[in-house]
Amino acid sequence: MPAVDESQIDFETIELFFFAYRDFISDPDAILAEIEMGRAHHRVVYFVSRHPGMMVTDLLDTLQITKQSLARVLKQLIDSGYIRQMAGAKDRRQRRLYPTLAGRELALALSEPQSRRISHAMQGLSPEQRNGVQAFLRAMRGRDENLARREMEVE
């Protein structure tokens, strides 16, 4: 492995990401701790609420996790009444996921403080600057935006 040139590493931005992420997830983490759930539950409830009827396979692709790790989290969310799983209308082998009313309310409760934090951070930015922030975050994903949109479409 070649030696790393420390002068080429953007430590300041890396630290800003660490601290921004820590603060961004702190409010949802506190809400989830009260119901004995964690970040994996948050991600599942978020995406299922944003894309009702998404297939389990699409959720696995979106979260880039194994079936085994999703199974435990999904079972707990279903048993707790936040998510329901139904067979596909055209293909009964498909497992489609839907938020219950409680699941939708949980997703909103978790997203609200995050949205508030984003609004506060973007306060005073021009529309072009806001677009720049979003473009930067899309570029950080390292994936084509159109591909990401297609992945989240529900048949």
Side-chain angles (χ1 to χ4, degrees):
M1 177 184 280
V4 176
D5 181 358
E6 282 190 44
S7 68
Q8 299 299 309
I9 297 176
D10 186 352
F11 289 112
E12 182 177 356
T13 302
I14 291 169
E15 287 180 20
L16 288 170
F17 264 100
F18 280 132
F19 295 128
Y21 180 71
R22 177 199 63 197
D23 294 348
F24 183 70
I25 60 171
S26 65
D27 297 315
D29 280 354
I31 294 167
L32 290 161
E34 292 177 15
I35 57 173
E36 298 181 0
M37 292 191 184
R39 292 180 191 159
H41 300 89
H42 182 185
R43 288 187 288 271
V44 171
V45 167
Y46 175 85
F47 283 107
V48 170
S49 292
R50 294 286 298 144
H51 306 280
M54 75 183 310
M55 292 186 294
V56 170
T57 54
D58 293 333
L59 184 58
L60 287 167
D61 289 342
T62 297
L63 298 177
Q64 296 183 349
I65 59 174
T66 64
K67 284 183 188 178
Q68 183 179 359
S69 58
L70 177 61
R72 179 188 57 80
V73 170
L74 193 53
K75 180 178 179 354
Q76 188 176 3
L77 288 167
I78 291 169
D79 291 349
S80 299
Y82 294 110
I83 301 287
R84 63 187 165 100
Q85 181 175 275
M86 300 175 67
K90 295 177 185 171
D91 184 346
R92 305 293 293 164
R93 294 171 298 175
Q94 292 178 337
R95 294 187 303 152
R96 295 198 174 264
L97 302 172
Y98 297 87
T100 63
L101 178 58
R104 179 91 176 116
E105 289 174 353
L106 177 60
L108 291 171
L110 297 171
S111 295
E112 191 277 330
Q114 291 181 315
S115 181
R116 193 173 354 114
R117 194 176 288 276
I118 291 168
S119 293
H120 178 75
M122 291 217 192
Q123 191 174 337
L125 296 183
S126 70
E128 294 80 20
Q129 289 171 318
R130 289 172 185 248
N131 289 339
V133 169
Q134 291 178 349
F136 171 78
L137 292 171
R138 283 187 195 99
M140 286 294 295
R141 286 186 63 192
R143 295 170 60 187
D144 175 55
E145 181 182 343
N146 292 326
L147 174 63
R149 281 197 186 123
R150 284 193 307 270
E151 288 174 351
M152 295 307 299
E153 288 178 1
V154 176
E155 294 179 315

